[in-house]
Amino acid sequence: MPKLTYLGHAAFLVEGKTHRLVIDPFLTGNPVAAAKAEQIRADFVLLTHGHGDHVGDGLTIAKANGATIIAPYELAMYCQSQGAKVHPMHIGGSFPFPFGRVKLTIAHHGSGMEINGKMAYMGNPCGYLVTIDGRNIYHAGDTGLFLDMQLIGEMNRIDVALLPIGDNFTMGIDDAVKAVELLKPSLAIPMHYKTFGVIDQDPQEFAQKVAAKGFKAKVLAFGESLEI
Ligand code: NI
Ligand code: MN
């Protein structure tokens, strides 16, 4: 059973039998971060898009651990230019990594970083379907609600869905509840809330509304782990 740890915001650590993955490790400067970048041991760093609150400490962690960054092509090329080992992918594509398969899903959002005062394009943002030790995790990335989530749910047995609920930049609570109805995961975990004032949502409200629709949700405290 892989162990999933919520590091705060959209950051998760996934520890499998043979490999450790970290997704969107925004820790430095994150007021709800549950770990420091130098504490993270990872073999792979998965980045959903080129925004500071997702790329975060990804480069530092990748270089310190000799880890490979998995990211959409344009963002991966940027990370490579900064000295990291990368595995570029893109929407709809999947690849069998030594721990299991990773597939990139669509996300309706942006992806760009200010470099030397100019906005650099980082390609399309994405979500991830990650299979590790036979368990399927869906990390939606930053996205609005989209009907193709129904297709993702039909074609995959999702054990855990990690869904943004913060509103303003992504789905809010009610749209994220609809996402659960489309994805039909065994368990939904809210993310991307409370970090900044504009995304200060109540995750318990999400959990209650998900339960009212007949699905299961669990709010993980920042730093809390779960065997999945
Ligand atoms: Ni973003
Ligand atoms: Mn974000």
Side-chain angles (χ1 to χ4, degrees):
M1 292 289 225
K3 186 167 113 180
L4 180 77
T5 303
Y6 186 32
L7 300 173
H9 202 57
F12 288 85
L13 182 68
V14 184
E15 298 170 88
K17 276 200 286 274
T18 56
H19 293 81
R20 298 159 68 100
L21 329 181
V22 68
I23 308 172
D24 284 355
F26 167 49
L27 303 170
T28 303
N30 172 358
V32 300
K36 290 198 186 329
E38 54 267 30
Q39 295 173 301
I40 303 296
R41 295 284 161 269
D43 304 293
F44 292 90
V45 178
L46 283 66
L47 303 178
T48 60
H49 63 290
H51 283 162
D53 60 319
H54 296 261
V55 173
D57 300 288
L59 280 166
T60 310
I61 292 170
K63 286 191 244 180
N65 288 270
T68 300
I69 293 182
I70 300 171
Y73 179 80
E74 294 82 356
L75 176 56
M77 289 303 103
Y78 167 71
C79 293
Q80 189 174 55
S81 78
Q82 299 303 300
K85 221 165 34 176
V86 301
H87 182 111
M89 295 182 70
H90 236 309
I91 312 294
S94 72
F95 186 82
F97 289 93
F99 57 84
R101 191 166 282 275
V102 171
K103 184 173 186 178
L104 267 66
T105 58
I106 60 169
H108 293 308
H109 195 64
S111 185
M113 286 199 289
E114 219 174 90
I115 296 166
N116 300 328
K118 280 196 181 140
M119 187 60 79
Y121 171 66
M122 291 290 163
N124 278 316
C126 76
Y128 284 104
L129 274 166
V130 177
T131 303
I132 180 164
D133 302 346
R135 306 294 284 170
N136 297 316
I137 302 165
Y138 171 57
H139 186 298
D142 275 5
T143 186
L145 179 64
F146 55 89
L147 188 55
D148 289 24
M149 286 180 177
Q150 190 175 347
L151 195 57
I152 296 172
E154 273 174 24
M155 295 178 70
N156 302 277
R157 185 206 75 231
I158 300 172
D159 295 302
V160 184
L162 313 173
L163 302 171
I165 64 159
D167 218 339
N168 194 76
F169 297 113
T170 68
M171 297 188 282
I173 287 175
D174 290 337
D175 283 7
V177 172
K178 188 69 198 176
V180 173
E181 293 184 81
L182 297 174
L183 293 161
K184 303 188 189 325
S186 303
L187 181 68
I189 294 175
M191 64 172 179
H192 211 270
Y193 60 89
K194 271 208 169 63
T195 327
F196 319 115
V198 289
I199 61 167
D200 189 7
Q201 300 292 330
D202 176 11
Q204 296 300 344
E205 182 189 334
F206 168 75
Q208 283 155 13
K209 286 182 168 174
V210 167
K213 295 289 182 188
F215 292 94
K216 217 175 128 192
K218 184 173 171 61
V219 176
L220 289 185
F222 304 127
E224 189 177 349
S225 298
L226 186 70
E227 302 265 325
I228 56 169

